[in-house]
Amino acid sequence: MLAGRARSATAVVAVLALLACVGGLVTAAATPASAQVPGVRIQIDSVTPYATKGTKNLRITGRVVNSGDVALSTVNAMLWFDQSPLTSRDELTAAAAEEPGERLGTRMDQPWNLVDQVAPRLRPHASARFDVKVPMQQLGLDTAGVYVVGVDIRATTPDSSLRETWRARTFLPYLPAGTKLTPVEVAFVLPVTDQPRLVDGDVMRGSSVSNDAGDTPALGEFAPTGRLSRLLELGADHGLSFLVDPSLLDEARRMSDGFTTSAGTRVGADQTADVRRWLNRARGVLAAGDAKMLPYADPDLPALQRYHLTDRFPQAVRAADQASDEYQSGGTLVWPGAGYADAGTLETIAASKAHTVLLSQRALPGLPKDGSSPVASLATPEGAVTALVADPALTAGGPGGRSSPVSIQQRFLSETALAAMQGGNPATTLRRMVAAMPRDWNPGASGATLFRTVESVSWLRPLSVGALLSQAPTAYGGPLRTSPSDTRAELSRSHVEHLRELAATSAMLLDMLAEPERSRPALDREFLRGASTSWRRDDADAVDLIDTMTSRIRAAIGRVEVVPPRLVTLSSQTGRFPVTIWNRGSQPVEVRLEVRPRDPKLLKVAPIDPVRVDPNRKATVSVTAQAPSDSAVRSAVQMEARVTTRSGTSFGATQPFFVRVTGYGQVGWVVIFVGLGLLLLAAGTRIVRRLRSAAAARRATAGGQGEAATEVDEPGAATEPGATEPDATEPGEPAPDETPGDPARSNGQAAQPNDEDPGTQPGSEPGSQPGSQPGSPGPDMTKAKR
């Protein structure tokens, strides 16, 4: 019995093991299959802009991309539409928020000739074009409004016999004959902006999009087919209103003759011909058309307001005003973020002397949305500002968050068509709306289609921003609404911390410059470039630019350094010694020298006034140090020297050196003064003696001067050989007219009256006239006569 139970247990274990093996095989086989997920991305390139009773076909073209891991077979495209029209702008807004597939409708797959057979097989990552065209009569539309239309892509996957479906949607205005329309005047705002590249001077930050020159900004933006060139041409061709970032014009000017990247790559003028062409074109287009300037670098004002960093915003407005004068545009227009501003932000704008702001209509919920109030006046403690009110729905795109040129075009046409249909009497009602294109909008090759369509439809009339701002504004005293999504899109906290570091480094440099006001505008603009709204979508590149600018400022600060002495010896308790400040930079600085002992008890250093040092020059500072009166003699005191700004912020390396104190003290000075007194007394005594001796010699000389003069001065007299001069001095006797200071005296010392001379005869008196040796003329007879 026990053996039977054992055999049963063994059999169960064997079965379980077999099942485990089979399960493992099934799992192993299922794992690769689960990783292979089919996927399709649909891009609509063109669609019939709007339809009337005379429109023959509804046509949608585009591209389908196999974004999955498996090949697709029997790929077909077919038209889809909803037969229920949208008749109000609120309904259109709700439909734009939908994802494709949420709305029920009709798929036009019969007859089969309405279906576009895109490809029999589509490999992973491959693409194919589709072109769906359906006669309008087969849609059966009869009510004016906006219809949701689109395409369905159907295909078969290798591991399934079922057909899978992917969808894309857009809007189609339908305006049959007899539809009453009130014309809508629309002012297009076309931003000409880009992410800042300028670091300093002609140094540009390298871009992740590089050209053949290596780590250089993408110059293709300025090419004839580049985004910036397309924007200029669109605005010029269709009379649009430009909103230009002056920092972009500044960078183009610096790049036009060649530039250097932050990595050290030099880009010559031969590579920047497109930049020069674009800049010249911009000058002509902006001067001839309707244009306004954004504040310099288009800073993210809501973020700066939130983090209390708005002190440089007035500089952005001043720079915009200067650019407006240079390019002959129509002034400055502030665009805070996505068009939302609280009371503090509006007050900051008014305080900066900017008088016009671009706001979203959603930020002013108490303002009518029927197009009757496109301009509003808002009061602030700093004065009133005029708000140009943009309708964000006009350029929102959709459904499903799509923002391609085609989706923006169809949303714009649908919104304005519904506004025109809901208007009152065309003779008494005026509808004016503002359409602000996205800051980073790339019109592409099909961008001009929208504006050509606007010029061709009956319910739209173009208008310039300048003409719109000339009308009387609507006084607005209602609430101000912010947008949670716009707040989340602001510059991040970590981004702001890097900005704070840049601001602190700039402040240190200004504090040490002798002429800070000359450099302040450039440093403020560096900060503004780091705070640009364009960095909302690229935080990493922004931090790279900010850190590059901060490093260059620190390098400029580091070019001012202290050169300490090797060893200083103080022979008493108080003394002076020199310390050198070296400015290797290109700007004059005014700094303080801070010298202190490692042990404050050993020496006391007198305060040192600020010192100006010109570029590439050195300045020597005299430092006064004093040891305490009761201090003992020390061989050396370790000192530290460093440079600080005028306000006392230290920078650079601290340089050590030593001061030796010999410690003479008061006793040493007494000894020195007593010695000097004795020396002066001895010198005075010797001088008196010399004066007395000289007077006695002059008296002795005067006694025999007449006779000698008579004999010597007789005309024609000559001395015969062997004759004796009457006043000749005997050999070995001193000359009677020898005076103190005579060069014949050793070390310039004269003999004193009682001094014995080896040449004096015994018994002779000073001043006596002894006889002369014959034939030996007196050596000092000439001096005596004189």
Side-chain angles (χ1 to χ4, degrees):
M1 185 176 179
L2 293 175
R5 289 182 179 178
R7 285 194 298 269
S8 299
T10 303
V12 170
V13 171
V15 171
L16 292 176
L18 178 61
L19 291 176
C21 293
V22 173
L25 292 174
V26 172
T27 303
T31 300
S34 63
Q36 296 177 347
V37 179
V40 166
R41 186 173 67 252
I42 305 171
Q43 173 185 317
I44 297 178
D45 293 334
S46 69
V47 63
T48 301
Y50 63 95
T52 66
K53 280 294 185 182
T55 304
K56 294 182 179 181
N57 298 305
L58 172 58
R59 184 181 182 185
I60 302 178
T61 67
R63 182 179 295 275
V64 55
V65 180
N66 184 352
S67 58
D69 302 320
V70 296
L72 302 176
S73 60
T74 317
V75 182
N76 296 326
M78 53 204 73
L79 180 71
W80 177 98
F81 74 102
D82 180 10
Q83 293 179 330
S84 301
L86 308 173
T87 57
S88 70
R89 295 189 66 190
D90 291 338
E91 292 180 355
L92 179 59
T93 300
E98 297 174 351
E99 291 293 333
E102 293 183 15
R103 181 177 291 264
L104 298 178
T106 302
R107 182 185 300 135
M108 301 295 292
D109 53 3
Q110 295 295 332
W112 187 248
N113 62 348
L114 300 180
V115 177
D116 180 21
Q117 301 179 42
V118 178
R121 180 178 175 82
L122 194 62
R123 299 189 309 273
H125 311 298
S127 65
R129 296 199 60 82
F130 64 83
D131 188 344
V132 177
K133 184 167 57 175
V134 176
M136 288 294 300
Q137 293 180 350
Q138 294 192 241
L139 300 181
L141 305 182
D142 58 2
T143 303
V146 173
Y147 291 83
V148 182
V149 300
V151 293
D152 282 359
I153 302 296
R154 306 200 71 196
T156 303
T157 60
D159 300 322
S160 174
S161 59
L162 299 177
R163 302 275 289 170
E164 294 200 36
T165 305
W166 294 270
R167 304 169 180 87
R169 302 289 182 257
T170 187
F171 300 112
L172 174 71
Y174 178 65
L175 305 170
T179 304
K180 293 183 179 181
L181 300 173
T182 301
V184 178
E185 294 183 338
V186 180
F188 281 96
V189 177
L190 192 63
V192 183
T193 66
D194 199 7
Q195 291 180 340
R197 302 183 180 94
L198 178 62
V199 176
D200 182 28
D202 67 344
V203 178
M204 303 290 164
R205 186 189 68 87
S207 173
S208 57
V209 181
S210 301
N211 58 17
D212 295 338
D215 184 24
T216 59
L219 301 176
E221 294 283 298
F222 298 95
T225 58
R227 183 181 68 90
L228 296 177
S229 293
R230 290 186 188 274
L231 290 174
L232 280 183
E233 299 308 324
L234 278 178
D237 293 343
H238 300 283
L240 309 180
S241 297
F242 292 102
L243 191 55
V244 186
D245 181 358
S247 71
L248 175 60
L249 300 172
D250 185 25
E251 290 184 8
R253 178 180 58 82
R254 295 170 187 257
M255 294 170 64
S256 60
D257 294 328
F259 59 92
T260 303
T261 70
S262 54
T265 304
R266 182 63 188 174
V267 179
D270 57 328
Q271 297 175 266
T272 59
D274 286 337
V275 180
R276 292 192 295 275
R277 180 201 57 79
W278 183 89
L279 186 60
N280 292 332
R281 178 63 172 158
R283 290 184 182 277
V285 169
L286 298 182
D290 184 63
K292 288 190 175 296
M293 293 290 172
L294 285 164
Y296 184 89
D298 187 23
D300 192 347
L301 184 56
L304 298 181
Q305 186 75 29
R306 182 181 307 279
Y307 293 103
H308 308 288
L309 291 171
T310 58
D311 53 329
R312 291 169 177 80
F313 185 72
Q315 171 63 26
V317 174
R318 287 193 293 270
D321 292 339
Q322 294 171 1
S324 181
D325 293 339
E326 179 181 354
Y327 289 87
Q328 303 177 41
S329 66
T332 301
L333 178 64
V334 181
W335 190 4
Y340 295 87
D342 57 17
T345 302
L346 292 177
E347 184 177 349
T348 299
I349 293 172
S352 68
K353 307 305 179 183
H355 305 293
T356 311
V357 59
L358 177 62
L359 294 181
S360 170
Q361 192 174 66
R362 296 171 184 169
L364 308 173
L367 202 66
K369 300 179 181 179
D370 57 358
S372 61
S373 303
V375 182
S377 177
L378 295 86
T380 75
E382 295 290 340
V385 295
T386 300
L388 182 68
V389 184
D391 190 334
L394 299 182
T395 57
R402 293 179 177 270
S403 59
S404 64
V406 171
S407 63
I408 291 178
Q409 169 187 294
Q410 293 307 114
R411 180 69 180 275
F412 174 82
L413 293 174
S414 301
E415 292 281 355
T416 55
L418 290 176
M421 286 188 283
Q422 295 169 3
N425 187 344
T428 59
T429 304
L430 181 63
R431 307 294 184 195
R432 286 184 163 181
M433 308 178 77
V434 179
M437 307 305 290
R439 281 181 170 89
D440 59 345
W441 186 55
N442 187 351
S446 61
T449 304
L450 168 62
F451 306 106
R452 288 196 296 265
T453 304
V454 169
E455 294 167 351
S456 65
V457 299
S458 60
W459 71 87
L460 290 175
R461 296 175 183 172
L463 182 70
S464 70
V465 167
L468 191 58
L469 288 173
S470 64
Q471 78 174 51
T474 300
Y476 183 79
L480 299 172
R481 178 184 297 169
T482 58
S483 168
S485 60
D486 185 59
T487 302
R488 289 192 298 270
E490 291 175 3
L491 302 181
S492 66
R493 182 180 295 274
S494 62
H495 186 142
V496 172
E497 290 305 316
H498 285 268
L499 283 175
R500 290 189 188 278
E501 185 176 0
L502 173 63
T505 309
S506 299
M508 180 182 294
L509 178 61
L510 290 174
D511 196 19
M512 61 181 284
L513 292 179
E515 302 169 359
E517 294 308 316
R518 295 181 57 184
S519 300
R520 188 183 302 276
L523 293 174
D524 287 348
R525 293 183 185 188
E526 291 185 16
F527 177 89
L528 295 169
R529 291 195 293 273
S532 175
T533 304
S534 64
W535 295 125
R536 283 187 169 192
R537 57 187 183 272
D538 197 350
D539 194 67
D541 281 352
V543 170
D544 180 69
L545 174 66
I546 295 170
D547 291 348
T548 301
M549 293 188 293
T550 303
S551 298
R552 291 178 66 86
I553 296 175
R554 286 176 178 166
I557 294 174
R559 293 188 181 98
V560 180
E561 57 187 0
V562 61
V563 182
R566 292 185 177 180
L567 179 63
V568 176
T569 300
L570 300 182
S571 60
S572 65
Q573 288 180 316
T574 301
R576 294 183 179 181
F577 56 88
V579 177
T580 301
I581 299 176
W582 187 9
N583 178 13
R584 296 184 293 108
S586 59
Q587 300 183 74
V589 299
E590 185 175 342
V591 295
R592 290 181 179 274
L593 176 65
E594 184 177 283
V595 179
R596 61 184 181 183
R598 181 70 63 87
D599 186 351
K601 298 178 181 179
L602 300 181
L603 280 179
K604 181 179 180 182
V605 178
I608 303 172
D609 293 332
V611 180
R612 178 188 172 104
V613 188
D614 289 329
N616 298 310
R617 292 290 186 273
K618 296 179 181 179
T620 301
V621 182
S622 180
V623 180
T624 301
Q626 181 180 8
S629 58
D630 57 349
S631 65
V633 177
R634 291 170 174 83
S635 59
V637 178
Q638 186 171 1
M639 305 289 289
E640 294 177 343
R642 61 181 180 179
V643 187
T644 72
T645 64
R646 287 187 295 269
S647 62
T649 304
S650 62
F651 61 90
T654 300
Q655 300 293 342
F657 65 100
F658 291 90
V659 172
R660 179 178 298 160
V661 182
T662 58
Y664 282 125
Q666 296 180 354
V667 175
W669 286 114
V670 169
V671 173
I672 292 175
F673 285 131
V674 169
L676 289 175
L678 294 176
L679 180 62
L680 292 175
L681 180 61
T685 302
R686 294 175 67 86
I687 291 173
V688 169
R689 289 178 178 178
R690 289 189 179 187
L691 291 176
R692 290 179 177 177
S693 175
R698 284 194 296 272
R699 285 193 300 270
T701 303
Q705 184 175 1
E707 181 182 356
T710 301
E711 292 181 5
V712 173
D713 292 340
E714 184 179 352
T719 303
E720 292 292 333
T724 302
E725 290 285 341
D727 295 318
T729 304
E730 289 289 336
E733 293 184 357
D737 62 340
E738 197 171 33
T739 59
D742 193 327
R745 293 287 184 181
S746 174
N747 297 324
Q749 295 179 358
Q752 299 301 319
N754 295 327
D755 289 346
E756 293 184 359
D757 193 303
T760 304
Q761 294 182 2
S764 64
E765 294 291 337
S768 62
Q769 296 290 332
S772 298
Q773 184 75 17
S776 61
D780 293 321
M781 182 58 67
T782 304
K783 290 184 181 179
K785 292 181 179 179
R786 292 175 185 171

